[in-house]
Amino acid sequence: MKTKILLYGCMAAMTLASCGDFLEEVSQDEFEPKTASSFQELMNGEGYMMSPVDPVTYMMDDDVQGCKGSMWNEVLSARQAVFEWQPDFWQVENDCQAIPNYIKNNYLNIYKTIAALNIIIENLPGSEGGQAEKDITMAEAKTMRAFYYWRLVNTYALPYNDKQTSPTTNLGVPLVTESEVKDVGAPRASVADVYAQIISDIEEACALFGTDTTSRGVYRINYTSAHLLASRIYLFTEQWDKVIEHADKAMATAPPLVSLKSYAIDNTNNPTNGVISKKFGETIFLCGMKAMSGDYGLMGTPYGVSKELANLYETMDRRMNTYIVPSGYDYYPYRILKVCSDEHEYTWRTAELYLNRAEAYANLYLQGNQEAGQKAIDDLNTLRVNRYRVYTDLQLPAADELLQLLRDERRRELCFEGFRFFDLKRYGMPRIEHTLIGESGAAVRYVLEERDPAYCLPLPDNALEHNENLVQNPLANRRVGVQQ
């Protein structure tokens, strides 16, 4: 490993401030990590990205709707372009001086984090230290690289399971797996190739963890969280047996489901123990800074919880008043209780494992496996009995009805956790509407058509400027709203 190459990679991969923390003991000209523990330190400081990974998608799905917000400002006016699915929203945000640069540089920041992971993955094997220690750090690095590429390809490309196209020819995202800085930017790999790398990374990570089920805290990847991510990746590639295999392994060591019958949000105005926090008993892994109450905040703004989502919760469902709560005000009907002082953009929870496995079983049921159907409804009932005040088990319906039940349950359970827009994509990219109530009080309806080009977000201008080999996604026409 050449020190010069590593340092150049470090400077390309990290901000000066964060890199400085890691290098403060020695000059940069002399720095060369030699031990496994130094690579773990690099992993802790740079491999777990703390800025939002793709916060714009919170504003683009059908769980958000316009309302008579109590405020408008420069930032919220810029967010309007995202909410309307305008093709130039990146430029609108870039022109807004009040939006922080780490949001404007979000795409590039992800690749900088991947660059740090590439340094670890390439150079850790030759470092000093025990093999067990190296294996754990390598497993963490490969899991997080798989996660970042999973988010990138689902943000900027067509879904892997798209029935009208092929992942082998659809453009994904640039696939960078080496730390060497090259003069020419990487072109976009196919969706299939990106997923092949994602699967390779997560399978290697799971193998490296082996039978080591030690928990190293919710801010570090471990056996359970690696297998959880594997179940999610295979869900999106529709490899049902693999979903079940990895969900089984994760559930064997995951914390139990929390019964909401006895769980109370400590302060509905400013909770500290929301569901997407380390205080919630189902939490397996935390990553990322606040999105909903941070840079893409919804609370008290012109953007809020859609009535369509709120109406999915039944009378006895305790997720109403735990995940969202009626505000008592007509102008802003619901508040999000998942927003809390300890909120993290990505909180991987035990509930997802039940949903992933149930969906896999349901698809096997759709193929004629009756026993799999019963296992799917059993998983669904296990989740729901922990969410309702009073609950009666659902009986096994027809396969297509079961799949719809699971989609609705996934929406209720995982709302505002970064899943919904990606789920809509893999469901076939349906038509959805947003109604914006502007500063004048007029309501204007905007439509995201079925299979709309905006389902694949445009690559930001600063990414295109940095890499002349990038090909932009097809852009939708500028949308004109209809007065209501």
Side-chain angles (χ1 to χ4, degrees):
M1 175 180 63
K2 301 295 186 181
T3 305
K4 181 173 66 174
I5 294 175
L6 175 62
L7 288 177
Y8 188 42
C10 183
M11 296 308 295
M14 307 161 212
T15 63
L16 286 171
S18 58
C19 211
D21 292 339
F22 185 60
L23 306 180
E24 61 185 356
E25 297 299 325
V26 294
S27 73
Q28 290 188 13
D29 289 339
E30 298 173 350
F31 172 70
E32 180 179 352
K34 295 181 179 180
T35 65
S37 60
S38 66
F39 280 106
Q40 182 62 58
E41 185 180 350
L42 181 59
M43 181 68 211
N44 295 343
E46 306 298 340
Y48 293 111
M49 186 173 177
M50 289 310 295
S51 59
V53 177
D54 67 334
V56 292
T57 60
Y58 285 91
M59 300 287 289
M60 300 179 72
D61 62 33
D62 54 355
D63 286 347
V64 175
Q65 191 52 278
C67 55
K68 297 178 182 178
S70 59
M71 59 185 291
W72 276 95
N73 57 32
E74 184 181 357
V75 172
L76 292 171
S77 295
R79 295 287 186 253
Q80 182 176 333
V82 180
F83 184 76
E84 296 172 357
W85 306 293
Q86 297 294 0
D88 62 344
F89 76 82
W90 280 123
Q91 187 59 52
V92 174
E93 290 204 336
N94 192 59
D95 292 342
C96 178
Q97 297 302 309
I99 295 177
N101 284 330
Y102 66 81
I103 291 292
K104 297 175 183 178
N105 296 328
N106 177 61
Y107 174 95
L108 298 178
N109 288 341
I110 298 173
Y111 275 101
K112 289 176 183 177
T113 305
I114 289 172
L117 295 171
N118 290 341
I119 290 170
I120 295 168
I121 291 167
E122 284 185 12
N123 297 294
L124 175 62
S127 66
E128 300 170 4
Q131 191 59 47
E133 183 181 9
K134 293 181 185 180
D135 286 349
I136 296 303
T137 302
M138 184 68 78
E140 292 179 58
K142 292 209 166 188
T143 300
M144 291 310 296
R145 189 167 71 175
F147 171 64
Y148 295 134
Y149 273 120
W150 178 82
R151 295 221 63 94
L152 281 166
V153 76
N154 278 284
T155 301
Y156 298 104
L158 286 168
Y160 184 92
N161 70 332
D162 185 36
K163 300 302 185 287
Q164 298 186 28
T165 60
S166 170
T168 61
T169 54
N170 289 338
L171 289 179
V173 293
L175 195 54
V176 182
T177 58
E178 299 177 353
S179 63
E180 180 183 357
V181 179
K182 299 181 179 179
D183 293 334
V184 179
R188 297 175 68 175
S190 71
V191 170
D193 285 345
V194 175
Y195 264 101
Q197 183 63 52
I198 291 169
I199 289 171
S200 174
D201 277 349
I202 196 60
E203 286 289 357
E204 288 181 32
C206 290
L208 286 166
F209 277 120
T211 59
D212 184 345
T213 59
T214 305
S215 173
R216 296 169 179 85
V218 294
Y219 295 105
R220 285 181 62 183
I221 289 292
N222 61 15
Y223 172 99
T224 308
S225 47
H227 283 287
L228 180 153
L229 181 61
S231 76
R232 183 190 304 172
I233 290 164
Y234 285 119
L235 184 72
F236 276 64
T237 55
E238 298 189 345
Q239 299 181 63
W240 312 125
D241 289 336
K242 298 293 285 185
V243 176
I244 295 165
E245 173 192 336
H246 285 281
D248 283 348
K249 290 179 178 179
M251 290 168 79
T253 53
L257 291 166
V258 172
S259 174
L260 297 187
K261 298 174 186 178
S262 55
Y263 193 82
I265 295 296
D266 57 10
N267 182 342
T268 56
N269 291 319
N270 185 27
T272 68
N273 64 337
V275 173
I276 52 174
S277 76
K278 65 184 178 184
K279 292 185 179 180
F280 193 64
E282 292 177 21
T283 299
I284 295 171
F285 173 67
L286 297 172
C287 181
M289 65 188 296
K290 295 182 179 183
M292 289 181 297
S293 62
D295 293 289
Y296 275 76
L298 303 177
M299 302 298 287
T301 74
Y303 318 107
V305 179
S306 71
K307 291 183 179 179
E308 181 182 338
L309 170 62
N311 290 338
L312 281 177
Y313 295 101
E314 299 170 312
T315 302
M316 292 294 173
D317 195 334
R318 280 282 297 149
R319 286 172 291 197
M320 178 63 75
N321 299 314
T322 306
Y323 295 5
I324 65 174
V325 62
S327 68
Y329 299 102
D330 290 339
Y331 73 92
Y332 200 84
Y334 297 93
R335 289 187 292 111
I336 306 172
L337 293 182
K338 285 186 175 180
V339 170
C340 68
S341 59
D342 190 46
E343 170 198 336
H344 288 260
E345 185 180 8
Y346 301 108
T347 302
W348 303 358
R349 302 188 287 117
T350 304
E352 184 194 345
L353 291 167
Y354 282 89
L355 291 165
N356 291 351
R357 190 171 71 175
E359 187 174 335
Y361 279 135
N363 277 279
L364 294 177
Y365 176 43
L366 189 64
Q367 297 170 12
N369 185 330
Q370 190 76 14
E371 182 182 358
Q374 187 58 51
K375 289 181 178 179
I377 203 69
D378 289 344
D379 275 346
L380 184 57
N381 283 325
T382 299
L383 174 62
R384 285 165 62 89
V385 76
N386 285 282
R387 299 298 186 249
Y388 281 65
R389 288 190 186 91
V390 178
Y391 184 70
T392 302
D393 279 354
L394 297 173
Q395 300 303 306
L396 181 61
D400 56 347
E401 294 178 38
L402 177 57
L403 283 169
Q404 187 58 54
L405 283 173
L406 286 166
R407 288 183 179 187
D408 289 344
E409 196 66 27
R410 188 175 178 90
R411 186 178 183 185
R412 281 185 286 258
E413 182 63 34
L414 300 179
C415 63
F416 306 113
E417 296 187 41
F419 289 97
R420 182 60 180 170
F421 192 72
F422 293 170
D423 283 340
L424 289 171
K425 289 179 75 168
R426 68 187 181 92
Y427 295 160
M429 297 172 278
R431 180 185 187 275
I432 61 177
E433 298 181 359
H434 279 173
T435 298
L436 179 76
I437 301 176
E439 296 182 64
S440 67
V444 182
R445 177 171 55 86
Y446 294 86
V447 176
L448 185 72
E449 298 290 355
E450 183 178 0
R451 298 188 61 83
D452 196 290
Y455 267 110
C456 295
L457 273 63
L459 296 169
D461 290 342
N462 58 11
L464 297 167
E465 292 167 1
H466 281 80
N467 183 354
E468 63 182 16
N469 287 321
L470 283 184
V471 176
Q472 180 62 284
N473 283 324
L475 300 180
N477 294 325
R478 183 157 187 84
R479 296 174 205 277
V480 178
V482 178
Q483 192 90 19
Q484 299 299 288

